[in-house]
Amino acid sequence: GGGGGSGPDPGRGRDPKDMVRYIKDMDRVHGIIASGDPEAGFALFESLVEEVPENHMALLQYAGALFGERRFPEAESRLLELLDRQPEMNAAWVMLGGVRSARGDIEPAAEAYRMAGSLSGRGEPYFQMASMYREAGEYPDAGAAYLEAVSREPSNQEYLDGFVEFHQSRGTLEEADTLIAGLADQEPDAPAVRSARGDILRRLGRYEEAAAELQAALDRSPGMFTTEALLGHVELELGKTAQARDRFQVLSDRRPENTPVRFGLAKALTLLGEHQAAAPLFRQILEQRPDFSPVFTFRGEILEKEGDVAGAARMYQEALRLNRGDRDAWEGYQRVRPR
């Protein structure tokens, strides 16, 4: 019978030798599918599932393999079979949401994600739902799902970054600030939320407030690398250039490969007149990331301040060629473009 077992443990009630065999069988199945013979792999999956019907993880992996091969109807059928046996299996509901989303069945997918969220209490199903709604152009629903994800897991940096980036892309950062400020009040001990609000305020040009939020986050959790870097960029905007240089130098020593930090250090050195120290940093950035448009935007800003309007226009144009979404470059070019 298929109703046995109350959890996804493939080894429950089985001899350890059977467990070792199961793991080897799974490795063999995935190897066969990866080698380009999915039909043989799926046939072996069928035999494994029939041999031990209560092995819910085998059925979940089978559905996942079908999903990976874009065999959506079969994957959905297997997942529904599994959920009939194990209705509280969160991973199966999440996968069902992914399968339905890939088929373009948006609302049935959302129902599956909501069920997963209600079972787990976690943000992951809502974060996936947000991405699905966003791709479908259903932006209000996407925004609500992003907010639900960060509300459930306010310390998850990926969810917070997604929330901020979504509102940046929609031009709704003021709304995002209102929402995240409310969340910060509810979660006073979640420094990642304060950091996210500081990032939003930075993007809005409210630098004094941004600095206060970022510092509050660091007071609660010293050593947050991204928050330290954001504070360095805010200090540059506030004219605290030497302070920013020292901060970026420490961060660069910790992670010399980090491009935004290296760029912050190069900017600070340039603004302090230390051009010889800055030049190799700019060169290294462009060697590592030839499409890093902020380098050219910054050069444009320097040339514009020096009165070289034509040179500034060329730099802004190059930045926009690399990244049409570079708002600072676009605004700079509007200031200096030939009339």
Side-chain angles (χ1 to χ4, degrees):
S6 62
D9 181 358
R12 202 171 68 87
R14 298 175 64 190
D15 188 282
K17 292 180 180 177
D18 289 339
M19 186 60 191
V20 172
R21 179 185 160 205
Y22 163 77
I23 294 171
K24 289 182 178 178
D25 284 340
M26 286 295 107
D27 288 343
R28 187 154 58 96
V29 168
H30 289 295
I32 291 169
I33 294 171
S35 71
D37 191 2
E39 294 303 327
F42 293 140
L44 183 51
F45 253 132
E46 287 279 3
S47 67
L48 291 171
V49 169
E50 290 174 5
E51 179 186 348
V52 190
E54 71 273 15
N55 188 341
H56 302 126
M57 278 304 295
L59 189 50
L60 182 67
Q61 290 197 35
Y62 185 13
L66 290 164
F67 183 16
E69 291 293 316
R70 303 186 64 80
R71 294 168 66 155
F72 303 135
E74 295 165 88
E76 182 169 9
S77 175
R78 286 300 186 173
L79 287 166
L80 291 172
E81 176 187 344
L82 175 56
L83 288 165
D84 186 52
R85 302 177 189 178
Q86 286 288 107
E88 295 188 359
M89 193 173 189
N90 174 67
W93 284 110
V94 172
M95 189 182 295
L96 182 60
V99 169
R100 288 174 170 175
S101 175
R103 293 178 65 177
D105 297 334
I106 303 301
E107 284 313 309
E111 289 175 12
Y113 285 135
R114 288 189 194 99
M115 180 61 75
S118 68
L119 289 171
S120 70
R122 297 186 58 209
E124 179 198 5
Y126 294 94
F127 190 69
Q128 292 195 28
M129 192 195 309
S131 298
M132 174 188 72
Y133 277 134
R134 187 175 181 180
E135 289 176 13
E138 299 185 20
Y139 300 117
D141 288 329
Y146 276 120
L147 181 60
E148 187 66 31
V150 300
S151 297
R152 285 172 176 252
E153 293 189 58
S155 294
N156 188 302
Q157 195 62 53
E158 181 185 8
Y159 302 167
L160 287 164
D161 289 345
F163 172 85
V164 173
E165 193 276 327
F166 169 74
H167 282 284
Q168 172 83 59
S169 71
R170 300 294 301 154
T172 53
L173 282 175
E174 292 284 0
E175 176 189 343
D177 179 48
T178 301
L179 294 170
I180 208 77
L183 185 57
D185 290 339
Q186 296 169 25
E187 302 285 346
D189 295 323
V193 175
R194 303 295 296 269
S195 179
R197 184 168 188 233
D199 188 18
I200 291 169
L201 292 167
R202 176 186 68 86
R203 293 170 189 241
L204 288 169
R206 293 159 58 181
Y207 298 118
E208 292 283 359
E209 295 170 85
E213 287 291 329
L214 294 167
Q215 189 58 61
L218 289 169
D219 289 344
R220 284 170 171 77
S221 182
M224 294 171 67
F225 186 89
T226 300
T227 306
E228 288 267 13
L230 288 171
L231 184 53
H233 287 291
V234 168
E235 287 168 340
L236 285 177
E237 297 293 343
L238 291 172
K240 299 177 180 179
T241 312
Q243 192 171 322
R245 176 200 57 198
D246 295 344
R247 188 182 302 278
F248 282 127
Q249 186 63 68
V250 170
L251 293 172
S252 185
D253 290 343
R254 281 171 59 189
R255 296 188 192 174
E257 78 290 347
N258 187 284
T259 298
V261 164
R262 186 181 287 172
F263 177 56
L265 179 57
K267 282 180 69 173
L269 290 168
T270 299
L271 293 171
L272 290 168
E274 300 178 38
H275 300 287
Q276 285 189 326
L281 293 174
F282 284 125
R283 190 163 54 248
Q284 290 164 13
I285 290 168
L286 292 176
E287 287 172 357
Q288 182 183 16
R289 294 264 305 273
D291 61 343
F292 192 71
S293 66
V295 168
F296 296 96
T297 302
F298 178 64
R299 286 178 175 173
E301 291 168 350
I302 295 296
L303 290 171
E304 185 180 351
K305 288 177 182 176
E306 292 175 351
D308 185 352
V309 174
R314 285 196 300 273
M315 290 297 106
Y316 290 137
Q317 284 180 305
E318 179 61 17
L320 290 169
R321 185 186 70 79
L322 295 170
N323 178 10
R324 294 177 61 84
D326 189 327
R327 186 168 183 81
D328 290 335
W330 184 84
E331 291 176 352
Y333 184 67
Q334 296 307 306
R335 290 194 301 268
V336 301
R337 67 184 176 88
R339 304 294 176 180

PDB file of all heavy atoms in Angstrom, residues 148-180:
ATOM      1  N   GLU A 148       5.959  39.427   1.937  1.00  0.00           N
ATOM      2  CA  GLU A 148       5.669  38.259   2.771  1.00  0.00           C
ATOM      3  C   GLU A 148       6.948  37.460   3.037  1.00  0.00           C
ATOM      4  O   GLU A 148       7.171  36.983   4.158  1.00  0.00           O
ATOM      5  CB  GLU A 148       4.623  37.377   2.092  1.00  0.00           C
ATOM      6  CG  GLU A 148       4.123  36.224   2.946  1.00  0.00           C
ATOM      7  CD  GLU A 148       3.345  36.677   4.167  1.00  0.00           C
ATOM      8  OE1 GLU A 148       2.688  37.738   4.099  1.00  0.00           O
ATOM      9  OE2 GLU A 148       3.408  35.972   5.197  1.00  0.00           O
ATOM     10  N   ALA A 149       7.793  37.331   2.009  1.00  0.00           N
ATOM     11  CA  ALA A 149       9.047  36.583   2.177  1.00  0.00           C
ATOM     12  C   ALA A 149       9.943  37.233   3.225  1.00  0.00           C
ATOM     13  O   ALA A 149      10.458  36.564   4.123  1.00  0.00           O
ATOM     14  CB  ALA A 149       9.782  36.470   0.844  1.00  0.00           C
ATOM     15  N   VAL A 150      10.118  38.562   3.138  1.00  0.00           N
ATOM     16  CA  VAL A 150      11.010  39.227   4.099  1.00  0.00           C
ATOM     17  C   VAL A 150      10.369  39.321   5.472  1.00  0.00           C
ATOM     18  O   VAL A 150      11.077  39.332   6.495  1.00  0.00           O
ATOM     19  CB  VAL A 150      11.452  40.629   3.602  1.00  0.00           C
ATOM     20  CG1 VAL A 150      12.208  40.528   2.286  1.00  0.00           C
ATOM     21  CG2 VAL A 150      10.275  41.574   3.457  1.00  0.00           C
ATOM     22  N   SER A 151       9.053  39.367   5.540  1.00  0.00           N
ATOM     23  CA  SER A 151       8.381  39.404   6.841  1.00  0.00           C
ATOM     24  C   SER A 151       8.568  38.082   7.575  1.00  0.00           C
ATOM     25  O   SER A 151       8.702  38.057   8.803  1.00  0.00           O
ATOM     26  CB  SER A 151       6.887  39.695   6.657  1.00  0.00           C
ATOM     27  OG  SER A 151       6.683  40.965   6.085  1.00  0.00           O
ATOM     28  N   ARG A 152       8.567  36.978   6.829  1.00  0.00           N
ATOM     29  CA  ARG A 152       8.720  35.669   7.450  1.00  0.00           C
ATOM     30  C   ARG A 152      10.170  35.382   7.836  1.00  0.00           C
ATOM     31  O   ARG A 152      10.403  34.673   8.820  1.00  0.00           O
ATOM     32  CB  ARG A 152       8.198  34.580   6.509  1.00  0.00           C
ATOM     33  CG  ARG A 152       6.673  34.540   6.451  1.00  0.00           C
ATOM     34  CD  ARG A 152       6.158  33.592   5.390  1.00  0.00           C
ATOM     35  NE  ARG A 152       4.717  33.528   5.439  1.00  0.00           N
ATOM     36  CZ  ARG A 152       4.006  32.478   5.888  1.00  0.00           C
ATOM     37  NH1 ARG A 152       4.636  31.409   6.325  1.00  0.00           N
ATOM     38  NH2 ARG A 152       2.691  32.501   5.894  1.00  0.00           N
ATOM     39  N   GLU A 153      11.114  35.886   7.042  1.00  0.00           N
ATOM     40  CA  GLU A 153      12.530  35.652   7.345  1.00  0.00           C
ATOM     41  C   GLU A 153      13.293  36.971   7.209  1.00  0.00           C
ATOM     42  O   GLU A 153      13.989  37.197   6.222  1.00  0.00           O
ATOM     43  CB  GLU A 153      13.110  34.585   6.412  1.00  0.00           C
ATOM     44  CG  GLU A 153      12.529  33.199   6.631  1.00  0.00           C
ATOM     45  CD  GLU A 153      13.276  32.133   5.855  1.00  0.00           C
ATOM     46  OE1 GLU A 153      14.493  31.979   6.048  1.00  0.00           O
ATOM     47  OE2 GLU A 153      12.621  31.444   5.042  1.00  0.00           O
ATOM     48  N   PRO A 154      13.135  37.847   8.212  1.00  0.00           N
ATOM     49  CA  PRO A 154      13.725  39.190   8.098  1.00  0.00           C
ATOM     50  C   PRO A 154      15.244  39.222   8.126  1.00  0.00           C
ATOM     51  O   PRO A 154      15.823  40.285   7.879  1.00  0.00           O
ATOM     52  CB  PRO A 154      13.131  39.934   9.302  1.00  0.00           C
ATOM     53  CG  PRO A 154      12.740  38.866  10.257  1.00  0.00           C
ATOM     54  CD  PRO A 154      12.336  37.700   9.427  1.00  0.00           C
ATOM     55  N   SER A 155      15.891  38.107   8.391  1.00  0.00           N
ATOM     56  CA  SER A 155      17.357  38.089   8.378  1.00  0.00           C
ATOM     57  C   SER A 155      17.920  37.480   7.102  1.00  0.00           C
ATOM     58  O   SER A 155      19.139  37.344   6.974  1.00  0.00           O
ATOM     59  CB  SER A 155      17.883  37.302   9.590  1.00  0.00           C
ATOM     60  OG  SER A 155      17.557  37.969  10.793  1.00  0.00           O
ATOM     61  N   ASN A 156      17.047  37.136   6.160  1.00  0.00           N
ATOM     62  CA  ASN A 156      17.509  36.509   4.923  1.00  0.00           C
ATOM     63  C   ASN A 156      17.928  37.597   3.933  1.00  0.00           C
ATOM     64  O   ASN A 156      17.081  38.321   3.398  1.00  0.00           O
ATOM     65  CB  ASN A 156      16.409  35.635   4.331  1.00  0.00           C
ATOM     66  CG  ASN A 156      16.899  34.800   3.160  1.00  0.00           C
ATOM     67  OD1 ASN A 156      17.388  35.315   2.160  1.00  0.00           O
ATOM     68  ND2 ASN A 156      16.764  33.485   3.280  1.00  0.00           N
ATOM     69  N   GLN A 157      19.236  37.698   3.680  1.00  0.00           N
ATOM     70  CA  GLN A 157      19.759  38.770   2.838  1.00  0.00           C
ATOM     71  C   GLN A 157      19.283  38.653   1.399  1.00  0.00           C
ATOM     72  O   GLN A 157      19.013  39.658   0.734  1.00  0.00           O
ATOM     73  CB  GLN A 157      21.287  38.770   2.883  1.00  0.00           C
ATOM     74  CG  GLN A 157      21.915  40.040   2.344  1.00  0.00           C
ATOM     75  CD  GLN A 157      21.531  41.274   3.149  1.00  0.00           C
ATOM     76  OE1 GLN A 157      21.694  41.310   4.354  1.00  0.00           O
ATOM     77  NE2 GLN A 157      20.999  42.288   2.479  1.00  0.00           N
ATOM     78  N   GLU A 158      19.153  37.430   0.886  1.00  0.00           N
ATOM     79  CA  GLU A 158      18.699  37.241  -0.495  1.00  0.00           C
ATOM     80  C   GLU A 158      17.290  37.803  -0.682  1.00  0.00           C
ATOM     81  O   GLU A 158      17.001  38.473  -1.679  1.00  0.00           O
ATOM     82  CB  GLU A 158      18.719  35.760  -0.859  1.00  0.00           C
ATOM     83  CG  GLU A 158      18.273  35.487  -2.295  1.00  0.00           C
ATOM     84  CD  GLU A 158      18.168  34.008  -2.628  1.00  0.00           C
ATOM     85  OE1 GLU A 158      18.289  33.175  -1.690  1.00  0.00           O
ATOM     86  OE2 GLU A 158      17.948  33.683  -3.808  1.00  0.00           O
ATOM     87  N   TYR A 159      16.416  37.551   0.286  1.00  0.00           N
ATOM     88  CA  TYR A 159      15.044  38.038   0.178  1.00  0.00           C
ATOM     89  C   TYR A 159      14.999  39.564   0.279  1.00  0.00           C
ATOM     90  O   TYR A 159      14.260  40.227  -0.456  1.00  0.00           O
ATOM     91  CB  TYR A 159      14.164  37.425   1.261  1.00  0.00           C
ATOM     92  CG  TYR A 159      14.093  35.910   1.267  1.00  0.00           C
ATOM     93  CD1 TYR A 159      13.563  35.218   2.346  1.00  0.00           C
ATOM     94  CD2 TYR A 159      14.571  35.164   0.188  1.00  0.00           C
ATOM     95  CE1 TYR A 159      13.502  33.833   2.363  1.00  0.00           C
ATOM     96  CE2 TYR A 159      14.521  33.774   0.200  1.00  0.00           C
ATOM     97  CZ  TYR A 159      13.986  33.114   1.283  1.00  0.00           C
ATOM     98  OH  TYR A 159      13.936  31.749   1.306  1.00  0.00           O
ATOM     99  N   LEU A 160      15.804  40.115   1.190  1.00  0.00           N
ATOM    100  CA  LEU A 160      15.843  41.573   1.339  1.00  0.00           C
ATOM    101  C   LEU A 160      16.397  42.239   0.084  1.00  0.00           C
ATOM    102  O   LEU A 160      15.866  43.259  -0.377  1.00  0.00           O
ATOM    103  CB  LEU A 160      16.687  41.939   2.560  1.00  0.00           C
ATOM    104  CG  LEU A 160      16.034  41.642   3.912  1.00  0.00           C
ATOM    105  CD1 LEU A 160      17.078  41.676   5.021  1.00  0.00           C
ATOM    106  CD2 LEU A 160      14.918  42.635   4.211  1.00  0.00           C
ATOM    107  N   ASP A 161      17.460  41.658  -0.482  1.00  0.00           N
ATOM    108  CA  ASP A 161      18.030  42.219  -1.714  1.00  0.00           C
ATOM    109  C   ASP A 161      17.002  42.176  -2.845  1.00  0.00           C
ATOM    110  O   ASP A 161      16.887  43.125  -3.633  1.00  0.00           O
ATOM    111  CB  ASP A 161      19.283  41.437  -2.118  1.00  0.00           C
ATOM    112  CG  ASP A 161      20.459  41.689  -1.195  1.00  0.00           C
ATOM    113  OD1 ASP A 161      20.414  42.663  -0.413  1.00  0.00           O
ATOM    114  OD2 ASP A 161      21.435  40.913  -1.256  1.00  0.00           O
ATOM    115  N   GLY A 162      16.270  41.063  -2.943  1.00  0.00           N
ATOM    116  CA  GLY A 162      15.245  40.947  -3.972  1.00  0.00           C
ATOM    117  C   GLY A 162      14.151  41.983  -3.800  1.00  0.00           C
ATOM    118  O   GLY A 162      13.690  42.591  -4.774  1.00  0.00           O
ATOM    119  N   PHE A 163      13.746  42.199  -2.561  1.00  0.00           N
ATOM    120  CA  PHE A 163      12.724  43.199  -2.235  1.00  0.00           C
ATOM    121  C   PHE A 163      13.172  44.597  -2.671  1.00  0.00           C
ATOM    122  O   PHE A 163      12.423  45.334  -3.331  1.00  0.00           O
ATOM    123  CB  PHE A 163      12.454  43.149  -0.729  1.00  0.00           C
ATOM    124  CG  PHE A 163      11.563  44.234  -0.199  1.00  0.00           C
ATOM    125  CD1 PHE A 163      10.186  44.102  -0.239  1.00  0.00           C
ATOM    126  CD2 PHE A 163      12.094  45.387   0.360  1.00  0.00           C
ATOM    127  CE1 PHE A 163       9.357  45.101   0.264  1.00  0.00           C
ATOM    128  CE2 PHE A 163      11.279  46.386   0.861  1.00  0.00           C
ATOM    129  CZ  PHE A 163       9.901  46.245   0.814  1.00  0.00           C
ATOM    130  N   VAL A 164      14.404  44.959  -2.309  1.00  0.00           N
ATOM    131  CA  VAL A 164      14.920  46.293  -2.635  1.00  0.00           C
ATOM    132  C   VAL A 164      15.075  46.445  -4.147  1.00  0.00           C
ATOM    133  O   VAL A 164      14.653  47.459  -4.736  1.00  0.00           O
ATOM    134  CB  VAL A 164      16.266  46.546  -1.926  1.00  0.00           C
ATOM    135  CG1 VAL A 164      16.880  47.866  -2.396  1.00  0.00           C
ATOM    136  CG2 VAL A 164      16.083  46.555  -0.412  1.00  0.00           C
ATOM    137  N   GLU A 165      15.667  45.450  -4.792  1.00  0.00           N
ATOM    138  CA  GLU A 165      15.900  45.534  -6.239  1.00  0.00           C
ATOM    139  C   GLU A 165      14.582  45.619  -6.995  1.00  0.00           C
ATOM    140  O   GLU A 165      14.474  46.349  -7.988  1.00  0.00           O
ATOM    141  CB  GLU A 165      16.717  44.318  -6.682  1.00  0.00           C
ATOM    142  CG  GLU A 165      17.286  44.427  -8.089  1.00  0.00           C
ATOM    143  CD  GLU A 165      16.273  44.001  -9.147  1.00  0.00           C
ATOM    144  OE1 GLU A 165      15.469  43.102  -8.872  1.00  0.00           O
ATOM    145  OE2 GLU A 165      16.286  44.589 -10.251  1.00  0.00           O
ATOM    146  N   PHE A 166      13.569  44.873  -6.541  1.00  0.00           N
ATOM    147  CA  PHE A 166      12.253  44.925  -7.187  1.00  0.00           C
ATOM    148  C   PHE A 166      11.691  46.343  -7.148  1.00  0.00           C
ATOM    149  O   PHE A 166      11.244  46.886  -8.166  1.00  0.00           O
ATOM    150  CB  PHE A 166      11.286  43.954  -6.503  1.00  0.00           C
ATOM    151  CG  PHE A 166       9.843  44.134  -6.915  1.00  0.00           C
ATOM    152  CD1 PHE A 166       9.416  43.701  -8.160  1.00  0.00           C
ATOM    153  CD2 PHE A 166       8.936  44.741  -6.060  1.00  0.00           C
ATOM    154  CE1 PHE A 166       8.097  43.877  -8.551  1.00  0.00           C
ATOM    155  CE2 PHE A 166       7.618  44.918  -6.441  1.00  0.00           C
ATOM    156  CZ  PHE A 166       7.190  44.486  -7.695  1.00  0.00           C
ATOM    157  N   HIS A 167      11.719  46.966  -5.970  1.00  0.00           N
ATOM    158  CA  HIS A 167      11.161  48.311  -5.852  1.00  0.00           C
ATOM    159  C   HIS A 167      12.018  49.343  -6.595  1.00  0.00           C
ATOM    160  O   HIS A 167      11.474  50.313  -7.147  1.00  0.00           O
ATOM    161  CB  HIS A 167      10.997  48.678  -4.379  1.00  0.00           C
ATOM    162  CG  HIS A 167       9.794  48.043  -3.745  1.00  0.00           C
ATOM    163  ND1 HIS A 167       8.514  48.499  -3.963  1.00  0.00           N
ATOM    164  CD2 HIS A 167       9.673  46.958  -2.938  1.00  0.00           C
ATOM    165  CE1 HIS A 167       7.650  47.743  -3.293  1.00  0.00           C
ATOM    166  NE2 HIS A 167       8.327  46.801  -2.677  1.00  0.00           N
ATOM    167  N   GLN A 168      13.317  49.125  -6.655  1.00  0.00           N
ATOM    168  CA  GLN A 168      14.176  49.996  -7.469  1.00  0.00           C
ATOM    169  C   GLN A 168      13.745  49.930  -8.931  1.00  0.00           C
ATOM    170  O   GLN A 168      13.589  50.958  -9.599  1.00  0.00           O
ATOM    171  CB  GLN A 168      15.631  49.555  -7.330  1.00  0.00           C
ATOM    172  CG  GLN A 168      16.602  50.271  -8.278  1.00  0.00           C
ATOM    173  CD  GLN A 168      17.060  51.615  -7.745  1.00  0.00           C
ATOM    174  OE1 GLN A 168      17.638  51.698  -6.680  1.00  0.00           O
ATOM    175  NE2 GLN A 168      16.794  52.674  -8.489  1.00  0.00           N
ATOM    176  N   SER A 169      13.540  48.723  -9.429  1.00  0.00           N
ATOM    177  CA  SER A 169      13.175  48.548 -10.840  1.00  0.00           C
ATOM    178  C   SER A 169      11.797  49.120 -11.157  1.00  0.00           C
ATOM    179  O   SER A 169      11.538  49.529 -12.292  1.00  0.00           O
ATOM    180  CB  SER A 169      13.215  47.061 -11.214  1.00  0.00           C
ATOM    181  OG  SER A 169      12.144  46.353 -10.611  1.00  0.00           O
ATOM    182  N   ARG A 170      10.916  49.151 -10.161  1.00  0.00           N
ATOM    183  CA  ARG A 170       9.559  49.662 -10.372  1.00  0.00           C
ATOM    184  C   ARG A 170       9.443  51.155 -10.068  1.00  0.00           C
ATOM    185  O   ARG A 170       8.381  51.747 -10.296  1.00  0.00           O
ATOM    186  CB  ARG A 170       8.572  48.903  -9.474  1.00  0.00           C
ATOM    187  CG  ARG A 170       8.505  47.409  -9.720  1.00  0.00           C
ATOM    188  CD  ARG A 170       7.943  47.076 -11.093  1.00  0.00           C
ATOM    189  NE  ARG A 170       6.610  47.626 -11.256  1.00  0.00           N
ATOM    190  CZ  ARG A 170       6.075  47.929 -12.434  1.00  0.00           C
ATOM    191  NH1 ARG A 170       6.763  47.764 -13.537  1.00  0.00           N
ATOM    192  NH2 ARG A 170       4.851  48.403 -12.502  1.00  0.00           N
ATOM    193  N   GLY A 171      10.519  51.759  -9.554  1.00  0.00           N
ATOM    194  CA  GLY A 171      10.452  53.171  -9.202  1.00  0.00           C
ATOM    195  C   GLY A 171       9.580  53.427  -7.987  1.00  0.00           C
ATOM    196  O   GLY A 171       8.958  54.495  -7.868  1.00  0.00           O
ATOM    197  N   THR A 172       9.519  52.454  -7.077  1.00  0.00           N
ATOM    198  CA  THR A 172       8.643  52.562  -5.900  1.00  0.00           C
ATOM    199  C   THR A 172       9.448  52.479  -4.601  1.00  0.00           C
ATOM    200  O   THR A 172       9.018  51.859  -3.637  1.00  0.00           O
ATOM    201  CB  THR A 172       7.566  51.457  -5.930  1.00  0.00           C
ATOM    202  OG1 THR A 172       8.208  50.166  -6.092  1.00  0.00           O
ATOM    203  CG2 THR A 172       6.593  51.665  -7.073  1.00  0.00           C
ATOM    204  N   LEU A 173      10.617  53.101  -4.586  1.00  0.00           N
ATOM    205  CA  LEU A 173      11.464  53.016  -3.396  1.00  0.00           C
ATOM    206  C   LEU A 173      10.855  53.727  -2.191  1.00  0.00           C
ATOM    207  O   LEU A 173      11.081  53.316  -1.049  1.00  0.00           O
ATOM    208  CB  LEU A 173      12.847  53.587  -3.690  1.00  0.00           C
ATOM    209  CG  LEU A 173      13.798  52.675  -4.482  1.00  0.00           C
ATOM    210  CD1 LEU A 173      15.083  53.408  -4.816  1.00  0.00           C
ATOM    211  CD2 LEU A 173      14.116  51.399  -3.699  1.00  0.00           C
ATOM    212  N   GLU A 174      10.076  54.782  -2.422  1.00  0.00           N
ATOM    213  CA  GLU A 174       9.423  55.458  -1.287  1.00  0.00           C
ATOM    214  C   GLU A 174       8.454  54.498  -0.604  1.00  0.00           C
ATOM    215  O   GLU A 174       8.391  54.427   0.625  1.00  0.00           O
ATOM    216  CB  GLU A 174       8.687  56.716  -1.770  1.00  0.00           C
ATOM    217  CG  GLU A 174       9.591  57.828  -2.266  1.00  0.00           C
ATOM    218  CD  GLU A 174      10.266  58.585  -1.121  1.00  0.00           C
ATOM    219  OE1 GLU A 174      10.026  58.244   0.062  1.00  0.00           O
ATOM    220  OE2 GLU A 174      11.046  59.515  -1.408  1.00  0.00           O
ATOM    221  N   GLU A 175       7.699  53.755  -1.402  1.00  0.00           N
ATOM    222  CA  GLU A 175       6.798  52.742  -0.849  1.00  0.00           C
ATOM    223  C   GLU A 175       7.588  51.669  -0.105  1.00  0.00           C
ATOM    224  O   GLU A 175       7.207  51.230   0.991  1.00  0.00           O
ATOM    225  CB  GLU A 175       5.982  52.102  -1.970  1.00  0.00           C
ATOM    226  CG  GLU A 175       5.073  50.968  -1.516  1.00  0.00           C
ATOM    227  CD  GLU A 175       4.437  50.221  -2.677  1.00  0.00           C
ATOM    228  OE1 GLU A 175       4.422  50.756  -3.812  1.00  0.00           O
ATOM    229  OE2 GLU A 175       3.971  49.083  -2.445  1.00  0.00           O
ATOM    230  N   ALA A 176       8.705  51.254  -0.710  1.00  0.00           N
ATOM    231  CA  ALA A 176       9.546  50.237  -0.075  1.00  0.00           C
ATOM    232  C   ALA A 176      10.055  50.724   1.276  1.00  0.00           C
ATOM    233  O   ALA A 176      10.119  49.943   2.247  1.00  0.00           O
ATOM    234  CB  ALA A 176      10.720  49.877  -0.981  1.00  0.00           C
ATOM    235  N   ASP A 177      10.421  52.015   1.357  1.00  0.00           N
ATOM    236  CA  ASP A 177      10.925  52.550   2.622  1.00  0.00           C
ATOM    237  C   ASP A 177       9.849  52.496   3.704  1.00  0.00           C
ATOM    238  O   ASP A 177      10.123  52.131   4.854  1.00  0.00           O
ATOM    239  CB  ASP A 177      11.403  53.991   2.432  1.00  0.00           C
ATOM    240  CG  ASP A 177      11.904  54.593   3.734  1.00  0.00           C
ATOM    241  OD1 ASP A 177      12.707  53.922   4.420  1.00  0.00           O
ATOM    242  OD2 ASP A 177      11.477  55.702   4.075  1.00  0.00           O
ATOM    243  N   THR A 178       8.615  52.838   3.326  1.00  0.00           N
ATOM    244  CA  THR A 178       7.520  52.782   4.298  1.00  0.00           C
ATOM    245  C   THR A 178       7.322  51.358   4.805  1.00  0.00           C
ATOM    246  O   THR A 178       7.161  51.124   6.017  1.00  0.00           O
ATOM    247  CB  THR A 178       6.211  53.293   3.658  1.00  0.00           C
ATOM    248  OG1 THR A 178       6.402  54.639   3.215  1.00  0.00           O
ATOM    249  CG2 THR A 178       5.059  53.235   4.639  1.00  0.00           C
ATOM    250  N   LEU A 179       7.361  50.397   3.891  1.00  0.00           N
ATOM    251  CA  LEU A 179       7.142  48.999   4.256  1.00  0.00           C
ATOM    252  C   LEU A 179       8.279  48.465   5.129  1.00  0.00           C
ATOM    253  O   LEU A 179       8.042  47.798   6.143  1.00  0.00           O
ATOM    254  CB  LEU A 179       7.005  48.144   2.991  1.00  0.00           C
ATOM    255  CG  LEU A 179       5.781  48.423   2.125  1.00  0.00           C
ATOM    256  CD1 LEU A 179       5.887  47.683   0.792  1.00  0.00           C
ATOM    257  CD2 LEU A 179       4.498  48.008   2.847  1.00  0.00           C
ATOM    258  N   ILE A 180       9.523  48.767   4.729  1.00  0.00           N
ATOM    259  CA  ILE A 180      10.658  48.210   5.460  1.00  0.00           C
ATOM    260  C   ILE A 180      10.823  48.903   6.816  1.00  0.00           C
ATOM    261  O   ILE A 180      11.293  48.289   7.788  1.00  0.00           O
ATOM    262  CB  ILE A 180      11.962  48.311   4.620  1.00  0.00           C
ATOM    263  CG1 ILE A 180      12.943  47.181   5.002  1.00  0.00           C
ATOM    264  CG2 ILE A 180      12.625  49.645   4.771  1.00  0.00           C
ATOM    265  CD1 ILE A 180      12.605  45.858   4.432  1.00  0.00           C
TER     266      ILE A 180
END
